[in-house]
Amino acid sequence: MASSRWTQLVRQFSSSTSRAGKLVQAPIQLYGVEGRYATALYSAATKQSKLEAVEKELSSLQTELQKNSKLLEFLADPSQKKNQKRETIEGWMKQRSFSDLTMNLFVTMAENGRMNKTQQVLSSFSKLMSAHRGEVTCSVVTAKPLDEESSKELKAALQGFLKKGQTLQLFTQVDPSLIGGMTVTIGDRFVDMSMKSRIKTYTNLIKAAV
């Protein structure tokens, strides 16, 4: 049943997508409903050489949802009828001359009762485009703000994780609860080098020994 719905979703994007056969392989594999929708859109847009255009449209929608909380609540509200959501999002996109690719995706989501996944789909597509450009997102959380020298050393060390052609997108955050050290998330890798984690480990060892 799920496979049948997935096949139907892909075919509904456009006649050219339906005729093309296999999906274009995405730069990274995403999971969940939002991942499948985003990947299908990525594939369809790639085949029609409209990746950047679709990305701009989704960015415009993201901006609108950030400003218009009522629209976001309406799309996420399960009590609202599917056809009302479809008409609303379709009308909004037509007014802004959105491409059929983007419009068909969200019309399909509305018909399948998946408009509550809008934010997640937008985020998933953004991840695909980031990977498409060879960007590797890295999130570093430290107990205290890094000084300039430490920041440079950190960036230099993280460059070692990258492959040829990839670029680092570094985001830093401060969390005093870590006490000391840091946590690093780069791609699908996570390393916890915080003092908080060490203390927890030692505490568990002491408890186990008692």
Side-chain angles (χ1 to χ4, degrees):
M1 182 68 73
S3 177
S4 175
R5 289 198 300 268
W6 169 235
T7 301
Q8 182 181 13
L9 164 64
V10 176
R11 288 177 179 172
Q12 285 179 356
F13 281 129
S14 66
S15 58
S16 61
T17 304
S18 180
R19 290 194 301 269
K22 295 182 179 180
L23 289 173
V24 172
Q25 185 174 0
I28 56 175
Q29 186 173 3
L30 300 179
Y31 301 93
V33 173
E34 59 272 20
R36 293 197 294 271
Y37 277 103
T39 300
L41 179 59
Y42 176 89
S43 175
T46 299
K47 291 176 182 178
Q48 295 189 26
S49 300
K50 293 182 178 179
L51 268 179
E52 286 71 23
V54 168
E55 182 181 28
K56 288 181 179 179
E57 291 174 349
L58 296 190
S59 177
S60 176
L61 175 58
Q62 178 70 71
T63 300
E64 178 64 23
L65 293 178
Q66 290 174 346
K67 295 188 302 182
N68 192 341
S69 59
K70 289 185 178 180
L71 176 60
L72 180 60
E73 292 172 1
F74 171 75
L75 296 178
D77 188 352
S79 67
Q80 299 293 338
K81 295 182 179 180
K82 295 179 182 179
N83 65 321
Q84 292 179 329
K85 292 184 179 182
R86 178 183 60 77
E87 291 172 0
T88 297
I89 197 66
E90 186 175 22
W92 186 88
M93 291 183 174
K94 282 183 177 179
Q95 289 179 356
R96 290 156 180 79
S97 301
F98 272 33
S99 65
D100 289 340
L101 283 171
T102 302
M103 197 178 308
N104 288 345
L105 172 75
F106 286 94
V107 166
T108 301
M109 287 174 60
E111 292 175 345
N112 291 344
R114 295 295 190 179
M115 290 306 294
N116 61 326
K117 295 287 185 179
T118 296
Q119 292 281 45
Q120 293 93 321
V121 171
L122 295 176
S123 176
S124 294
F125 191 85
S126 179
K127 291 179 182 178
L128 289 174
M129 289 303 296
S130 182
H132 171 76
R133 287 188 286 264
E135 299 170 353
V136 177
T137 301
C138 178
S139 175
V140 175
V141 182
T142 56
K144 298 179 180 180
L146 296 174
D147 57 34
E148 186 175 351
E149 183 178 354
S150 297
S151 181
K152 287 182 179 179
E153 291 179 356
L154 176 61
K155 289 180 180 179
L158 292 173
Q159 291 289 340
F161 288 92
L162 305 184
K163 298 178 182 178
K164 185 177 180 180
Q166 292 182 328
T167 57
L168 182 69
Q169 299 291 312
L170 179 61
F171 299 92
T172 60
Q173 182 180 347
V174 176
D175 181 1
S177 72
L178 295 183
I179 304 174
M182 66 179 69
T183 64
V184 180
T185 302
I186 182 167
D188 57 356
R189 305 176 186 178
F190 174 76
V191 181
D192 190 341
M193 299 177 288
S194 68
M195 184 63 68
K196 177 181 179 180
S197 177
R198 292 181 185 179
I199 292 175
K200 182 178 180 181
T201 299
Y202 296 148
T203 300
N204 290 337
L205 288 174
I206 293 173
K207 289 181 178 179
V210 175

